[in-house]
Amino acid sequence: MEVLYNSTRSKGNPVKSSEAILKGLSEDGGLFVPDRIPALDKTLEELAEMTYGQVAYEVMKLYLTDFTEQELKACIAKAYDEKFDTEEIVPMVEAQGAYYLELFHGATIAFKDMALSILPHLLTTSAKKNQVKNEIVILTATSGDTGKAALAGFADVEGTRIVVFYPKNGVSKIQEKQMVTQKGKNTYVVGIHGNFDDAQTGVKQIFGDKELTAYMDEKGFQFSSANSINIGRLVPQIVYYVYAYARLLKEERISSGDKINVVVPTGNFGNILAAFYAKQMGLPIDRLICASNENKVLFDFFKSGTYDRNREFVLTSSPSMDILISSNLERLIYRIAGNNPDKNKELMAALAGGGTYTITEDMKEQLADFYGNYADEGETAKTIHDLYESTGYVIDTHTAVASCVYGKYKEETKDTKTTVIASTASPYKFTRSVMNAIDHKYDSMEDFELVDNLAEISKVEVPKAIEEIREAPVLHDHVCEKTQMKQMVMDFLGI
Ligand SMILES: *Cc1c(COP(=O)(O)O)cnc(C)c1O
């Protein structure tokens, strides 16, 4: 049965999945949402016998219904290949009674690779299916990890160009080096004087600029997005929750039908929304545990029903979660408003205006599946330290936020259900914060000295993504004000 995509902000014409992927964001500023959440049509036992790629097909075919079997399988085969450093694609590690689902074995060692290694293929396939003649310009705002993963995915992909905006002083040294050393003649990386929210707002404004869109079309270009507002990002993220459950089943760590909890370190609300969709598809997930860092706008929202971005933006050791406007929450708001675009639009207008909105009691009741909490900087460091001391397992700062929040959840609820923690980045990506947490004797070392020390203590080989940037030359040094983003894009396109 066909799934079509509606905007969260108007009852317009629903579009096919390939069109939603091409557009990224709806013209009215809304996000595309499926008109129904399809149910899994394979049993969990059947899924337990499948490879990652096979599970990916079984999940994605239910959403991307205008792709042929051959098209979708080709995209999957090109995405989940030797770019990943393990055949399992997403290995799971048990530590202190929880299962860490390692989503960082792709080309840029963060979970963004899970979706961004397939998005370029979904997008170019969509362009072909829709007879698009224009060159597609991917516009991306990044809090650090999406940028590199998108660059790696789209570099030298024919018919595309990619522009990445990142907060100049808001990413880790290694994240920045990964981006500014990116090769590929269709790539463009710009640091902005501002934070991630500024970058994301700027990108959304460019998308909403109808005059620019028309001018671009004249010149043979059209925009799309590699951010998690693109449904082509969200759908591939559902896959690993299904795969993780199937793996637990296959290894007899759970019995069929047992419910599990998932803990997700959250920023833009894309990853945890994918887990929510997996649950709606019939995957036996109980609680969706939303972990925030000191930018705890989501924790406050789940507690009070009021979303309020009016607060200080804190730069933390988990920069990919330094976000006050979680874009994908809009998809959840739309859903708990009874798929009502008018109600959603009203709330989003309030957010854009005064920076806050409050949901109704009825909407709040529908959030019972979610549990929110947060970890401050000290707790995050202590979590890394203590887990390493007692097990030898080293986790990154984002995963540590999740691990810490899981501890708080267990203490509060006494819930002992099997739990999967989304491990979203390799500790090598945040080496300085990780090593500082483990021992202050590392504080004075250089970045790559820290890398070598991490290899020694974790007994995990230095990933290729890190080796590559040790000596790589800087190829991008553009910096701009947040008001100049549109001009930067036009300069790059030469229009
Ligand atoms: C992007 C990112 C997150 C946050 O994921 P969202 O889907 O934006 O909520 C968490 N951890 C890491 C390492 C990330 O790169």
Side-chain angles (χ1 to χ4, degrees):
M1 211 164 61
E2 186 163 42
V3 171
L4 294 173
Y5 291 81
N6 291 306
S7 164
T8 52
R9 296 194 191 177
S10 65
K11 281 200 187 68
N13 301 327
V15 298
K16 291 178 192 258
S17 59
S18 65
E19 295 171 286
I21 290 171
L22 275 172
K23 287 178 197 267
L25 198 63
S26 167
E27 278 125 28
D28 57 23
L31 276 62
F32 287 111
V33 278
D35 59 2
R36 65 188 172 86
I37 307 267
L40 288 168
D41 65 0
K42 290 284 183 301
T43 65
L44 298 166
E45 287 76 8
E46 285 171 315
L47 292 163
E49 298 306 320
M50 294 184 190
T51 63
Y52 190 84
Q54 289 167 331
V55 173
Y57 176 70
E58 293 303 330
V59 172
M60 293 177 65
K61 73 170 192 197
L62 300 171
Y63 286 91
L64 308 185
T65 49
D66 70 325
F67 283 64
T68 65
E69 175 173 350
Q70 197 188 6
E71 284 168 341
L72 192 52
K73 285 188 171 166
C75 290
I76 291 168
K78 281 186 248 179
Y80 305 112
D81 59 9
E82 319 71 67
K83 287 191 289 299
F84 286 77
D85 66 11
T86 154
E87 220 171 289
E88 273 185 288
I89 308 294
V90 288
M92 224 167 353
V93 174
E94 186 182 4
Q96 283 185 335
Y99 293 94
Y100 289 83
L101 181 65
E102 294 191 346
L103 302 172
F104 56 75
H105 288 268
T108 74
I109 62 175
F111 96 95
K112 303 297 195 293
D113 290 322
M114 298 311 302
L116 282 164
S117 49
I118 193 164
L119 184 67
H121 305 297
L122 296 176
L123 198 82
T124 47
T125 306
S126 298
K128 266 194 216 118
K129 295 173 78 67
N130 290 278
Q131 284 94 41
V132 170
K133 299 275 178 298
N134 286 338
E135 202 170 340
I136 296 170
V137 181
I138 306 293
L139 272 194
T140 300
T142 183
S143 55
D145 289 330
T146 289
K148 180 62 186 186
L151 288 162
F154 282 98
D156 293 326
V157 171
E158 213 176 305
T160 71
R161 298 207 198 181
I162 172 160
V163 185
V164 168
F165 292 102
Y166 73 95
K168 177 70 189 147
N169 298 315
V171 300
S172 85
K173 277 277 165 279
I174 295 212
Q175 283 179 312
E176 182 171 40
K177 182 123 198 236
Q178 278 189 301
M179 288 189 277
V180 299
T181 56
Q182 178 64 46
K183 293 181 199 150
K185 55 184 183 311
N186 64 337
T187 66
Y188 195 60
V189 180
V190 184
I192 69 157
H193 290 132
N195 60 37
F196 171 72
D197 288 328
D198 296 324
Q200 177 159 260
T201 303
V203 162
K204 281 191 179 173
Q205 270 166 5
I206 298 175
F207 272 116
D209 188 333
K210 296 213 164 61
E211 227 170 273
L212 178 63
T213 306
Y215 182 60
M216 294 259 300
D217 190 47
E218 220 173 274
K219 299 283 178 189
F221 295 110
Q222 70 188 60
F223 289 127
S224 187
S225 168
N227 279 106
S228 54
I229 51 178
N230 194 318
I231 199 77
R233 273 278 300 276
L234 204 54
V235 170
Q237 291 180 179
I238 302 169
V239 174
Y240 45 77
Y241 292 106
V242 177
Y243 181 76
Y245 188 97
R247 267 284 309 282
L248 289 170
L249 189 60
K250 185 176 172 66
E251 292 174 3
E252 298 180 351
R253 297 173 191 274
I254 53 173
S255 309
S256 190
D258 282 356
K259 287 194 169 180
I260 62 167
N261 297 317
V262 300
V263 192
V264 186
T266 297
N268 225 359
F269 211 74
N271 201 359
I272 195 163
L273 187 73
F276 176 72
Y277 280 10
K279 175 170 174 151
Q280 305 300 313
M281 293 176 80
L283 194 71
I285 293 176
D286 190 23
R287 301 304 288 283
L288 300 149
I289 300 171
C290 176
S292 301
N293 65 22
E294 288 180 13
N295 295 291
K296 59 182 181 57
V297 67
L298 289 166
F299 164 69
D300 294 338
F301 170 69
F302 284 120
K303 208 169 60 171
S304 68
T306 295
Y307 193 95
D308 187 0
R309 57 167 274 208
N310 298 312
R311 61 184 74 205
E312 201 188 327
F313 186 102
V314 188
L315 291 176
T316 72
S317 60
S318 46
S320 304
M321 294 155 64
D322 289 347
I323 292 174
L324 293 180
I325 306 169
S326 296
S327 282
N328 274 291
L329 188 65
E330 179 168 346
R331 289 186 162 113
L332 182 65
I333 297 294
Y334 170 84
R335 191 178 168 86
I336 61 175
N339 299 331
N340 179 343
D342 297 329
K343 179 69 188 169
N344 174 64
K345 197 173 161 185
E346 174 196 316
L347 297 176
M348 294 307 132
L351 180 64
T356 174
Y357 63 80
T358 301
I359 58 172
T360 63
E361 271 311 309
D362 177 53
M363 288 167 76
K364 193 161 178 245
E365 275 166 28
Q366 298 177 61
L367 295 177
D369 290 343
F370 289 89
Y371 167 92
N373 214 324
Y374 73 103
D376 68 24
E377 288 291 273
E379 291 170 327
T380 304
K382 186 171 185 313
T383 302
I384 294 171
H385 176 269
D386 292 356
L387 186 64
Y388 171 69
E389 285 297 322
S390 57
T391 67
Y393 185 49
V394 182
I395 55 175
D396 98 292
T397 44
H398 304 74
T399 309
V401 168
S403 181
C404 175
V405 163
Y406 177 51
K408 292 184 182 185
Y409 170 80
K410 266 194 305 193
E411 200 169 297
E412 233 172 78
T413 62
K414 312 289 176 221
D415 182 358
T416 57
K417 257 184 241 70
T418 303
T419 295
V420 169
I421 296 176
S423 182
T424 50
S426 159
Y428 280 101
K429 206 157 188 175
F430 302 95
T431 329
R432 178 159 305 277
S433 304
V434 167
M435 294 304 273
N436 285 358
I438 288 174
D439 196 322
H440 283 297
K441 76 180 184 208
Y442 298 113
D443 287 6
S444 58
M445 287 187 188
E446 300 291 330
D447 285 319
F448 284 96
E449 230 181 319
L450 289 173
V451 163
D452 294 330
N453 276 277
L454 176 55
E456 215 161 278
I457 66 157
S458 67
K459 305 189 176 56
V460 174
E461 212 182 308
V462 180
K464 203 165 107 224
I466 297 294
E467 287 300 352
E468 273 169 7
I469 59 166
R470 261 186 214 263
E471 310 291 342
V474 171
L475 302 174
H476 305 266
D477 59 0
H478 310 281
V479 178
C480 79
E481 298 305 320
K482 59 190 183 192
T483 51
Q484 296 172 319
M485 291 168 60
K486 175 174 163 182
Q487 193 55 49
M488 295 300 282
V489 173
M490 293 176 74
D491 288 351
F492 172 55
L493 299 177
I495 61 174

